[in-house]
Amino acid sequence: MEDNSVIIIGAGFAGLSAGIYAQINGYRTQIFEMHNLPGGLCTAWKQKGYTIDGCIHWLVGSSPRSGMHRYWEEVGIARGREFIDMDEYMRYEGADGRTLILYTNVDRLEKHLLEFSPQDAVPIRDFIRGIRMCLDFDQPSESDPQLKRLRKNLKLGLILATKGREMRKRMKISTAEFVMRFKDPVLREALREMWFPEFSMFFMLFTFAYLHNRNAGYPIGGSLPMSLAMARRYTGLGGVIHYDKRVEKILAEKDKAVGVRLADGTEHRSGQVISAADGYTTLFKMLEGKYADEKTREPYEKWPVFPPLLYVGLGVNRSFADEPKTVSGISFPLRRPTEIGYAVRDRLPIRIFNQDPTLAPAGKTSLVVMMPSSYEYWKELAQDRTAYKEKKDQIARTVVELLDQRFPGISRQVEMVDVATPLTFERYTGNWKGSFEGWLLTPQNAFTMMKRMRQTLPGLQNFSMCGQWVEPGGGLPTSVMSGRRLVKALCKQDGKKFRTTVA
């Protein structure tokens, strides 16, 4: 294009990624971000000296040996980042007094599961076989040296040729369907809780494979330092971020995107517009639905999304040194079913950040209780702001009381409680229905959704999209690769050779 200026909407991982690669390839970019911080959903916030992490559990590509790691180097996240690999994914404490430990090492996991429930040896071994099937799967990086990339492609081709049928078979099985093969109720419910029941269980296998390979580590410092590092990488390349600037409308003239109008009424022009913002808002508000054909509308009308979250952050004057360090925490049974928000629960999941001393003052610990919730429930409740606040306060009190069942004395040690609802996530990120990761991959739609969605719109030139609403499955790696893919296509369109550098 003659005008190499680009406006990017949203400074989440996808928008920052697009900006970084665009700057490297000679485009002049600026990002308009509605929040006062970069990162979008990859964020954290502080309360009374404690950091409440709103995103990261693990980061695929933490190992320097993996193909994904190169991308983290390119966008500025890898440099100086300390990752730790934990030995446990989750602990599930049964009402019968037994504790199931989901180890990250596949050999240790197999041994423990067989000892825990010998009667389930057949499905256990099938589960472990599925994880082992994924251990050698490593997507080649386009930035790998040619010979290394060739070797990886050959290895990947062999895996798909020999195991492709079994992979497709497993992709068609939901977590809910798979766990019904287990007779032991604790084992069955633990696997069901650790993964969304509707989700294809195939992706659970990949998660354990990444963990076993020490390629899904937790970054010390959590989410926000990674987002800030990407923002520094972008601005260091000459990009500009405008914070607290909400885009209200994408300007189009003669079916060409020519810029944006902000909520304050100001207009900004560019040769290209990229939206890395919420998909629904982009299509049906910023563009008023004018360029949304049947194929574009279908996902928003038919596809399931990840459920929004009820998020309770706590700051506790306690070290929790005697508790295990886990990826996703501990789930424990309640003495009696208890209403929390819109649902009655008989268990409580708790993430203890005892692996990360940077999130709390010395000798103290940041905790998070994270539960699926209902956007519609909170939306209706919020019509009465007093009722909305009272419900949040009630949840805070209830969660603290329930934690006392598992951690006696903790109610006297809690120094901070902060409750975030789906509306909180919607307010700060604009994400449709408060969803935290876009489209949910189910056995019914996995094959359709894993095909690359188009990043352009029919009838609208000089416009494209990137991020989790055009990358089914969502997540940080896919967001970064989405921005990279878009800029690579832009370079091809402009007859330029796509190039990259590392920070």
Side-chain angles (χ1 to χ4, degrees), residues 90 92 100 102 185-195:
M90 183 180 82
Y92 187 92
L100 179 71
L102 293 168
V186 174
L187 177 53
R188 183 170 61 242
E189 292 308 312
L191 291 174
R192 181 182 176 87
E193 181 172 315
M194 70 156 285
W195 214 250

Side-chain angles (χ1 to χ4, degrees), residues 96-391:
D96 60 3
R98 294 182 300 156
T99 297
L100 179 71
I101 305 174
L102 293 168
Y103 289 105
T104 54
N105 178 277
V106 68
D107 301 314
R108 198 174 179 188
L109 176 64
E110 180 179 26
K111 183 175 183 293
H112 176 67
L113 293 181
L114 289 172
E115 290 173 349
F116 189 90
S117 181
Q119 62 180 329
D120 286 314
V122 172
I124 287 171
R125 288 199 170 99
D126 182 53
F127 177 53
I128 297 298
R129 186 170 62 252
I131 297 173
R132 293 188 193 282
M133 175 184 66
C134 301
L135 291 178
D136 292 330
F137 195 97
D138 184 23
Q139 194 78 26
S141 167
E142 294 177 357
S143 302
D144 283 338
Q146 186 173 0
L147 185 58
K148 184 178 181 180
R149 190 164 67 248
L150 178 61
R151 286 198 301 266
K152 283 188 175 183
N153 276 320
L154 289 173
K155 186 176 182 180
L156 181 60
L158 181 62
I159 291 171
L160 294 176
T162 57
K163 302 175 181 178
R165 180 176 294 181
E166 185 177 356
M167 287 182 172
R168 288 191 292 272
K169 178 181 176 182
R170 291 178 183 272
M171 195 177 290
K172 295 178 181 178
I173 303 172
S174 70
T175 302
E177 291 171 326
F178 178 71
V179 301
M180 291 310 296
R181 295 176 58 188
F182 294 90
K183 297 175 182 177
D184 188 289
V186 174
L187 177 53
R188 183 170 61 242
E189 292 308 312
L191 291 174
R192 181 182 176 87
E193 181 172 315
M194 70 156 285
W195 214 250
F196 293 103
E198 309 90 346
F199 213 70
S200 169
M201 63 88 57
F202 179 64
F203 301 99
M204 183 198 302
L205 304 178
F206 263 104
T207 296
F208 274 100
Y210 288 131
L211 291 167
H212 173 86
N213 286 333
R214 302 310 223 199
N215 189 31
Y218 169 85
I220 292 296
S223 300
L224 188 55
M226 295 196 302
S227 298
L228 293 172
M230 279 190 74
R232 285 194 299 271
R233 169 69 164 150
Y234 171 66
T235 57
L237 289 165
V240 178
I241 305 177
H242 306 279
Y243 291 109
D244 293 313
K245 298 294 182 181
R246 181 190 295 269
V247 173
E248 193 171 75
K249 182 178 177 61
I250 295 169
L251 303 175
E253 297 174 357
K254 297 180 180 179
D255 294 328
K256 288 185 178 181
V258 296
V260 298
R261 180 186 301 144
L262 306 185
D264 62 11
T266 60
E267 294 186 357
H268 302 264
R269 299 273 168 153
S270 64
Q272 189 85 204
V273 176
I274 295 172
S275 178
D278 172 67
Y280 185 90
T281 302
T282 298
L283 295 169
F284 302 107
K285 294 183 180 180
M286 295 180 190
L287 287 169
E288 301 174 336
K290 293 178 180 178
Y291 299 95
D293 61 1
E294 184 178 346
K295 185 177 180 180
T296 304
R297 292 176 181 273
E298 181 182 5
Y300 297 90
E301 296 172 351
K302 298 179 181 179
W303 291 5
V305 298
F306 278 86
L309 299 173
L310 175 62
Y311 219 81
V312 184
L314 303 103
V316 184
N317 186 5
R318 186 168 175 170
S319 72
F320 293 91
D322 56 338
E323 295 292 343
K325 294 178 173 62
T326 68
V327 176
S328 284
I330 298 170
S331 173
F332 66 93
L334 303 177
R335 290 170 186 162
R336 63 185 64 86
T338 305
E339 181 182 321
I340 307 175
Y342 82 107
V344 174
R345 306 180 189 275
D346 57 8
R347 304 187 62 80
L348 199 67
I350 179 77
R351 285 186 70 198
I352 304 171
F353 286 86
N354 54 353
Q355 84 280 13
D356 192 345
T358 70
L359 303 187
K364 303 180 181 183
T365 312
S366 177
L367 279 64
V368 165
V369 173
M370 184 177 76
M371 298 167 283
S373 192
S374 165
Y375 174 80
E376 290 74 19
Y377 169 83
W378 288 103
K379 190 71 173 177
E380 182 176 349
L381 184 65
Q383 294 178 15
D384 183 337
R385 298 304 298 178
T386 300
Y388 178 79
K389 185 180 183 306
E390 287 178 351
K391 177 59 70 172

Side-chain angles (χ1 to χ4, degrees), residues 46-60:
K46 284 187 176 291
Q47 291 283 5
K48 298 182 179 179
Y50 292 90
T51 298
I52 305 165
D53 197 280
C55 177
I56 195 73
H57 284 63
W58 65 85
L59 188 70
V60 173

